Amino acid sequence: MTHIMIAGGGIAGLTAALALHTAGFERITVVETACEIQPVGAGLNIMPNAVRELDALGLLDRLEERAVRTRELRYYHRSGGLISCEPRGLGAGYHWPQLSIQRGELQLALADVVRTRLGPSALVGGVKVTGVEPLPDGRPRVQLEHRDGARRGKASLEPDVLIGADGIRSTVRAALNPGEGEPPWNGMLVWRGVSSLPAHRIGTFMFIAGDDRRKAVVYPLSEPATDTGEVLVNWALAMPAESVDDATRGDWNRPVPVAKFLHHYEGWVFDGVSVPEVLQAAESAFEYPMVDREPLPRWSLGRTTLIGDAAHAMYPIGSNGATQSIVDGRALAHAMALHADPADALAAYEAWRRPAMTELQRANRQLGPEVVINLAHERAPGGFTDIHEVIPQSELDEIAARYAATGAFDPQSVNQGSPYGPTVRAPR
């Protein structure tokens, strides 16, 4: 029986575990550094192409109980002028919705289903992969460190397949690409958090606003609470910084006071939604440098491969981080089901996914669809009354369509159905 080890119990690793189990694999072990998964963290937008894959795994109803449907995305110039307004999800013609959800809620829901379907021993907390050595037959020898409070232990295992889903600072990636170094920083600093506000003080839409230096992203994460009428609101801000400590690159959980950056966003109000009001309602805020990873010439070596941020960490633009991690998991499971030889399966998975993700990483470095904000500021820095006098509608449409086509999440592609559907597992 093929033993598959997944390093990392985040969105990518847990989705891969469920997809592999659905494809007929039974001996799957997910090792996660954290001793226990907690429902904390900022918000995520899951695009319809990933929601389609979660639906195929039988998870959509469960997730919709914890999420809200994102129905509209607006882009604003810093001056308050509306650049564009786009329907999302079902309203844009997709057969699946776009979902906004807290990262921790999604991770916790996936973990619960993993334990239910694969058994409680399939997800092991307090275990970190510290090294990987390829063996002559292509299998990996995996070094593990166990943590239980102050007690620590070490072990070595040789699974048939190793999947590196251990994030932007992936140990598995480092083993396949020694000497890569720190994630490159683009000079921008990001602050993020979650606030709770009365429903009438926050729009039902998602918006991205700013100029050529500062950006703000705001969207609701929940329906109004029945007792208070308040909704959870996700927010993220970005602006240039002079320098950062290398130790903070890829660390998403460095707490800072809201007062550190609030003054940069005074007066930012968009169709009645006040960014300062949203920030002041936050109980906590976190800071991190905007980093990604250079596209790799390969993701796989023998029976070891990468998924999610370990494979293609990209700037948080276009709602594609968690979205593409989910698609990775389904694609990998599909390849494993089709090919009897695990090495052939990983090669096929990489051939499907790596070229498209490389293009998406590069597109995000060029700001993806958010480039319309920079264009508006470049052409009308003082603001405008009619965006079409600044950016023609045809140009706005072309920018959005080009980005969607790059990641294959345009409505036509998505609505064709999952290319990773039910597959008879290859004999072994």
Side-chain angles (χ1 to χ4, degrees):
M1 184 181 296
T2 303
H3 179 207
I4 303 171
M5 175 177 285
I6 301 174
I11 308 305
L14 294 171
T15 302
L18 291 171
L20 285 161
H21 182 260
T22 301
F25 295 90
E26 297 180 5
R27 195 178 174 202
I28 303 166
T29 305
V30 182
V31 294
E32 164 58 34
T33 302
C35 292
E36 185 177 353
I37 294 175
Q38 300 288 341
V40 296
L44 296 172
N45 256 269
I46 309 300
M47 299 287 281
N49 55 321
V51 174
R52 176 191 66 188
E53 304 305 329
L54 294 171
D55 189 23
L57 294 174
L59 301 174
L60 182 55
D61 290 343
R62 178 187 289 258
L63 295 180
E64 289 223 72
E65 293 174 357
R66 305 172 183 230
V68 294
R69 292 183 175 184
T70 309
R71 294 179 170 87
E72 187 176 74
L73 170 61
R74 301 181 184 182
Y75 290 100
Y76 293 96
H77 180 252
R78 160 70 184 86
S79 63
L82 180 65
I83 299 171
S84 69
C85 180
E86 305 172 3
R88 310 296 281 185
L90 301 178
Y94 291 94
H95 294 170
W96 290 268
Q98 178 173 327
L99 298 179
S100 296
I101 188 172
Q102 277 190 287
R103 176 184 290 274
E105 290 286 352
L106 175 58
Q107 187 179 6
L108 190 61
L110 293 173
D112 288 345
V113 179
V114 166
R115 293 189 182 100
T116 299
R117 296 183 184 177
L118 282 68
S121 62
L123 176 55
V124 184
V127 177
K128 177 178 175 60
V129 173
T130 57
V132 181
E133 176 190 352
L135 299 174
D137 64 358
R139 290 182 304 122
R141 177 178 290 135
V142 185
Q143 304 298 326
L144 302 170
E145 183 177 281
H146 302 255
R147 302 177 181 182
D148 182 7
R151 297 182 300 174
R152 298 196 177 191
K154 295 183 178 180
S156 176
L157 291 177
E158 297 176 6
D160 297 297
V161 175
L162 174 64
I163 300 170
D166 46 344
I168 194 169
R169 289 180 175 272
S170 167
T171 300
V172 181
R173 178 181 174 120
L176 299 184
N177 301 273
E180 184 178 23
E182 292 295 321
W185 177 47
N186 72 349
M188 300 290 286
L189 202 58
V190 177
W191 299 284
R192 63 178 176 84
V194 176
S195 301
S196 184
L197 286 166
H200 70 275
R201 299 300 304 157
I202 193 72
T204 58
F205 51 88
M206 174 182 181
F207 74 78
I208 305 174
D211 51 30
D212 61 339
R213 290 177 57 81
R214 292 171 292 173
K215 299 288 193 305
V217 181
V218 178
Y219 56 87
L221 285 172
S222 70
E223 300 294 346
T226 54
D227 53 345
T228 65
E230 293 192 335
V231 298
L232 292 178
V233 181
N234 184 75
W235 53 266
L237 314 170
M239 67 175 294
E242 293 184 359
S243 64
V244 294
D245 182 351
D246 277 351
T248 69
R249 299 191 186 191
D251 179 3
W252 316 110
N253 296 301
R254 182 183 177 190
V256 295
V258 171
K260 178 176 181 179
F261 51 84
L262 176 63
H263 60 285
H264 293 297
Y265 298 89
E266 292 293 344
W268 283 42
V269 180
F270 306 97
D271 281 337
V273 181
S274 166
V275 173
E277 183 180 359
V278 170
L279 301 182
Q280 289 168 342
E283 293 186 1
S284 59
F286 299 90
E287 175 183 272
Y288 64 92
M290 191 180 291
V291 296
D292 65 356
R293 280 293 191 186
E294 293 292 339
L296 289 174
R298 71 174 185 191
W299 289 356
S300 307
L301 178 63
R303 296 185 177 195
T304 299
T305 197
L306 305 171
I307 62 174
D309 281 353
H312 49 71
M314 60 188 75
Y315 296 154
I317 290 170
S319 302
N320 267 298
T323 289
Q324 297 299 340
S325 295
I326 290 166
V327 179
D328 282 350
R330 283 275 287 163
L332 176 58
H334 186 65
M336 287 288 293
L338 286 177
H339 296 272
D341 184 338
D344 290 343
L346 302 189
Y349 152 72
E350 180 177 334
W352 295 339
R353 295 291 294 160
R354 187 173 60 81
M357 292 304 95
T358 294
E359 290 305 307
L360 201 57
Q361 286 178 285
R362 291 170 176 163
N364 278 14
R365 286 184 170 182
Q366 300 301 317
L367 301 182
E370 295 178 22
V371 72
V372 296
I373 295 174
N374 291 53
L375 289 176
H377 186 75
E378 176 186 322
R379 299 175 187 179
F384 49 83
T385 55
D386 183 354
I387 184 59
H388 299 125
E389 295 178 354
V390 179
I391 309 177
Q393 185 63 52
S394 59
E395 187 175 1
L396 292 171
D397 293 342
E398 195 275 332
I399 290 170
R402 182 174 65 241
Y403 185 71
T406 298
F409 46 83
D410 57 288
Q412 182 177 357
S413 297
V414 173
N415 290 346
Q416 289 177 0
S418 175
Y420 316 117
T423 304
V424 177
R425 182 179 165 191
R428 281 166 171 73

